[in-house]
Amino acid sequence: MLLAPQPTSAHPLRLVVCFLLLCGAGVLASPIITAGCPDRCVCDDQFVVQCAGQHLTTFPVNLPLATRQLIISNNRISELPPLALNYLSDLVYLDCSNNTLTEISESTFGNLRKLAYLDLSFNTLHRIEDRTFGPLASLVMLRMTDNPGLSDIHPDAFLENEALQVLDVSRNNLTALNITSLIALPTLRSVGLSGNPWSCQCDNEDLCLWVHLETFKFQDEGQTVCGSPADMQGRRLSEVGIQLRTLCHQSLDSLDYLFFVVIGFVIFAAGTVSAWLMGVVMVLYERYIKKKDDQLELENEEEGIEMDNASRGRTDRGNRSLKTSHTV
Ligand SMILES: *[C@@H]1O[C@H](CO)[C@@H](O)[C@H](O)[C@H]1NC(C)=O
Ligand SMILES: *[C@@H]1O[C@H](CO)[C@@H](O)[C@H](O)[C@H]1NC(C)=O
Ligand SMILES: *[C@@H]1O[C@H](CO)[C@@H](O)[C@H](O)[C@H]1NC(C)=O
């Protein structure tokens, strides 16, 4: 066989040959694929590769391409190489717990569309970026507990994991979690949040309210407590939810009140000033009108007699024309 005894296993040509064999031979290819098994691992005919507790420091090489379950827990593996992982497109179950993984890149899980179970617990992860779990469309259960330095999970980290049912991020170093994308997941039924130093301030109000409203969803809800501020330490998130809601929105309301008081004063002052101005204008106008009237009266008295004569003449003429129109 081509695949069996060659020691230079990382040669790219070998991967190509392997790939061609897989595509060409179809079902017949299965025994060939399982024929390769990484050092210190046990591979069975159900495509399960078991490498737990083997003091591995690197990701195993020479993995069967049809691997469905890969267990590499309890080792000292510090990196998941994207290239090697993404050949395993049939992978359904991946247990990486209890290693020394510090980061996971965007491309690590790029091709694992069938992956349903992922365990990253007991590692040394620090943050989760937005695209890390994006390609995992079939992911049902994600365990990511006991990473003592994990303090930051991007708001959109679970945005595309539509199949997610169980999420466990217990015993990390999380203070806040943006739940916008989590509450939109249609089948999410269990969330583990306990053992984190949660912030019970307005920045985390939504999470606290969520725990309060849907207590049934949360594992170890009794251990899901505030780490800060000092006066809230040790209180359950489910207890402080309503309190935070009132507290955080009250402070907004008192600002609103201040705004209304200031606006009210401005309107009052503007009203007073404009009333005073109107008063002044009215007085001036009245005086002006009175002056004009006095002038007119004087002029009228002078022209009075003249106008009397003229109007009498006009009415006589009008009466005469009326009479003639009637007789026609
Ligand atoms: C982690 O793995 C080591 C062996 O590498 C083992 O001794 C230890 O008990 C494991 N810890 C957990 C929490 O499973
Ligand atoms: C947890 O986060 C805080 C800051 O939020 C940091 O001071 C502390 O060192 C972190 N703990 C660990 C174990 O990394
Ligand atoms: C949560 O994340 C969404 C999307 O990134 C953002 O629009 C929203 O403002 C965030 N909420 C909080 C409370 O930070």
PDB file of all heavy atoms in Angstrom, residues 210-219 221 238:
ATOM      1  N   TRP A 210     -32.144  38.283  32.170  1.00  0.00           N
ATOM      2  CA  TRP A 210     -32.382  37.006  31.463  1.00  0.00           C
ATOM      3  C   TRP A 210     -32.373  35.845  32.458  1.00  0.00           C
ATOM      4  O   TRP A 210     -33.247  34.985  32.422  1.00  0.00           O
ATOM      5  CB  TRP A 210     -31.304  36.829  30.390  1.00  0.00           C
ATOM      6  CG  TRP A 210     -31.562  35.725  29.409  1.00  0.00           C
ATOM      7  CD1 TRP A 210     -32.773  35.312  28.930  1.00  0.00           C
ATOM      8  CD2 TRP A 210     -30.586  34.887  28.788  1.00  0.00           C
ATOM      9  NE1 TRP A 210     -32.605  34.285  28.026  1.00  0.00           N
ATOM     10  CE2 TRP A 210     -31.278  34.006  27.927  1.00  0.00           C
ATOM     11  CE3 TRP A 210     -29.200  34.801  28.858  1.00  0.00           C
ATOM     12  CZ2 TRP A 210     -30.618  33.052  27.150  1.00  0.00           C
ATOM     13  CZ3 TRP A 210     -28.543  33.853  28.076  1.00  0.00           C
ATOM     14  CH2 TRP A 210     -29.246  32.988  27.231  1.00  0.00           C
ATOM     15  N   VAL A 211     -31.373  35.840  33.359  1.00  0.00           N
ATOM     16  CA  VAL A 211     -31.290  34.781  34.368  1.00  0.00           C
ATOM     17  C   VAL A 211     -32.519  34.838  35.274  1.00  0.00           C
ATOM     18  O   VAL A 211     -33.071  33.810  35.672  1.00  0.00           O
ATOM     19  CB  VAL A 211     -29.989  34.899  35.200  1.00  0.00           C
ATOM     20  CG1 VAL A 211     -29.926  33.813  36.260  1.00  0.00           C
ATOM     21  CG2 VAL A 211     -28.767  34.810  34.297  1.00  0.00           C
ATOM     22  N   HIS A 212     -32.976  36.047  35.577  1.00  0.00           N
ATOM     23  CA  HIS A 212     -34.158  36.210  36.424  1.00  0.00           C
ATOM     24  C   HIS A 212     -35.413  35.657  35.741  1.00  0.00           C
ATOM     25  O   HIS A 212     -36.214  34.957  36.359  1.00  0.00           O
ATOM     26  CB  HIS A 212     -34.360  37.698  36.754  1.00  0.00           C
ATOM     27  CG  HIS A 212     -35.655  37.983  37.431  1.00  0.00           C
ATOM     28  ND1 HIS A 212     -35.832  37.814  38.791  1.00  0.00           N
ATOM     29  CD2 HIS A 212     -36.847  38.404  36.940  1.00  0.00           C
ATOM     30  CE1 HIS A 212     -37.085  38.126  39.092  1.00  0.00           C
ATOM     31  NE2 HIS A 212     -37.712  38.492  38.002  1.00  0.00           N
ATOM     32  N   LEU A 213     -35.554  35.944  34.450  1.00  0.00           N
ATOM     33  CA  LEU A 213     -36.789  35.598  33.741  1.00  0.00           C
ATOM     34  C   LEU A 213     -36.845  34.130  33.331  1.00  0.00           C
ATOM     35  O   LEU A 213     -37.913  33.546  33.252  1.00  0.00           O
ATOM     36  CB  LEU A 213     -36.937  36.483  32.491  1.00  0.00           C
ATOM     37  CG  LEU A 213     -37.172  37.962  32.771  1.00  0.00           C
ATOM     38  CD1 LEU A 213     -37.140  38.770  31.482  1.00  0.00           C
ATOM     39  CD2 LEU A 213     -38.516  38.158  33.477  1.00  0.00           C
ATOM     40  N   GLU A 214     -35.675  33.522  33.026  1.00  0.00           N
ATOM     41  CA  GLU A 214     -35.677  32.155  32.517  1.00  0.00           C
ATOM     42  C   GLU A 214     -34.796  31.248  33.368  1.00  0.00           C
ATOM     43  O   GLU A 214     -33.936  30.538  32.849  1.00  0.00           O
ATOM     44  CB  GLU A 214     -35.220  32.148  31.054  1.00  0.00           C
ATOM     45  CG  GLU A 214     -36.120  32.996  30.178  1.00  0.00           C
ATOM     46  CD  GLU A 214     -35.962  32.674  28.700  1.00  0.00           C
ATOM     47  OE1 GLU A 214     -36.049  31.496  28.340  1.00  0.00           O
ATOM     48  OE2 GLU A 214     -35.732  33.613  27.930  1.00  0.00           O
ATOM     49  N   THR A 215     -35.045  31.299  34.670  1.00  0.00           N
ATOM     50  CA  THR A 215     -34.226  30.548  35.638  1.00  0.00           C
ATOM     51  C   THR A 215     -34.022  29.089  35.213  1.00  0.00           C
ATOM     52  O   THR A 215     -32.944  28.532  35.389  1.00  0.00           O
ATOM     53  CB  THR A 215     -34.895  30.589  37.023  1.00  0.00           C
ATOM     54  OG1 THR A 215     -35.365  31.915  37.242  1.00  0.00           O
ATOM     55  CG2 THR A 215     -33.933  30.211  38.120  1.00  0.00           C
ATOM     56  N   PHE A 216     -35.063  28.486  34.628  1.00  0.00           N
ATOM     57  CA  PHE A 216     -35.015  27.062  34.266  1.00  0.00           C
ATOM     58  C   PHE A 216     -33.889  26.742  33.299  1.00  0.00           C
ATOM     59  O   PHE A 216     -33.428  25.612  33.219  1.00  0.00           O
ATOM     60  CB  PHE A 216     -36.353  26.641  33.646  1.00  0.00           C
ATOM     61  CG  PHE A 216     -36.687  27.366  32.375  1.00  0.00           C
ATOM     62  CD1 PHE A 216     -36.325  26.849  31.138  1.00  0.00           C
ATOM     63  CD2 PHE A 216     -37.347  28.589  32.408  1.00  0.00           C
ATOM     64  CE1 PHE A 216     -36.621  27.523  29.968  1.00  0.00           C
ATOM     65  CE2 PHE A 216     -37.637  29.275  31.239  1.00  0.00           C
ATOM     66  CZ  PHE A 216     -37.274  28.747  30.022  1.00  0.00           C
ATOM     67  N   LYS A 217     -33.429  27.710  32.545  1.00  0.00           N
ATOM     68  CA  LYS A 217     -32.397  27.468  31.539  1.00  0.00           C
ATOM     69  C   LYS A 217     -31.009  27.335  32.127  1.00  0.00           C
ATOM     70  O   LYS A 217     -30.096  26.853  31.471  1.00  0.00           O
ATOM     71  CB  LYS A 217     -32.370  28.646  30.549  1.00  0.00           C
ATOM     72  CG  LYS A 217     -33.150  28.385  29.298  1.00  0.00           C
ATOM     73  CD  LYS A 217     -32.860  29.414  28.228  1.00  0.00           C
ATOM     74  CE  LYS A 217     -33.695  29.106  27.011  1.00  0.00           C
ATOM     75  NZ  LYS A 217     -34.071  30.237  26.229  1.00  0.00           N
ATOM     76  N   PHE A 218     -30.814  27.820  33.339  1.00  0.00           N
ATOM     77  CA  PHE A 218     -29.458  28.001  33.829  1.00  0.00           C
ATOM     78  C   PHE A 218     -29.032  26.912  34.814  1.00  0.00           C
ATOM     79  O   PHE A 218     -29.676  26.713  35.841  1.00  0.00           O
ATOM     80  CB  PHE A 218     -29.331  29.397  34.440  1.00  0.00           C
ATOM     81  CG  PHE A 218     -29.567  30.464  33.410  1.00  0.00           C
ATOM     82  CD1 PHE A 218     -30.827  31.010  33.218  1.00  0.00           C
ATOM     83  CD2 PHE A 218     -28.545  30.858  32.563  1.00  0.00           C
ATOM     84  CE1 PHE A 218     -31.060  31.955  32.224  1.00  0.00           C
ATOM     85  CE2 PHE A 218     -28.772  31.801  31.573  1.00  0.00           C
ATOM     86  CZ  PHE A 218     -30.019  32.345  31.409  1.00  0.00           C
ATOM     87  N   GLN A 219     -27.945  26.223  34.474  1.00  0.00           N
ATOM     88  CA  GLN A 219     -27.379  25.210  35.361  1.00  0.00           C
ATOM     89  C   GLN A 219     -26.706  25.921  36.534  1.00  0.00           C
ATOM     90  O   GLN A 219     -26.144  26.991  36.358  1.00  0.00           O
ATOM     91  CB  GLN A 219     -26.297  24.389  34.631  1.00  0.00           C
ATOM     92  CG  GLN A 219     -26.714  23.826  33.302  1.00  0.00           C
ATOM     93  CD  GLN A 219     -25.501  23.516  32.419  1.00  0.00           C
ATOM     94  OE1 GLN A 219     -24.365  23.441  32.889  1.00  0.00           O
ATOM     95  NE2 GLN A 219     -25.747  23.341  31.137  1.00  0.00           N
ATOM     96  N   GLU A 221     -27.699  27.617  38.970  1.00  0.00           N
ATOM     97  CA  GLU A 221     -28.121  29.010  39.045  1.00  0.00           C
ATOM     98  C   GLU A 221     -27.749  29.602  40.415  1.00  0.00           C
ATOM     99  O   GLU A 221     -27.435  30.795  40.510  1.00  0.00           O
ATOM    100  CB  GLU A 221     -29.626  29.082  38.748  1.00  0.00           C
ATOM    101  CG  GLU A 221     -30.190  30.450  38.626  1.00  0.00           C
ATOM    102  CD  GLU A 221     -30.786  30.877  39.936  1.00  0.00           C
ATOM    103  OE1 GLU A 221     -31.577  30.115  40.506  1.00  0.00           O
ATOM    104  OE2 GLU A 221     -30.419  31.974  40.391  1.00  0.00           O
ATOM    105  N   SER A 238     -30.014  36.160  39.406  1.00  0.00           N
ATOM    106  CA  SER A 238     -31.474  36.117  39.277  1.00  0.00           C
ATOM    107  C   SER A 238     -32.153  37.055  40.274  1.00  0.00           C
ATOM    108  O   SER A 238     -33.259  37.531  40.021  1.00  0.00           O
ATOM    109  CB  SER A 238     -31.971  34.691  39.475  1.00  0.00           C
ATOM    110  OG  SER A 238     -31.584  34.230  40.749  1.00  0.00           O
TER     111      SER A 238
END
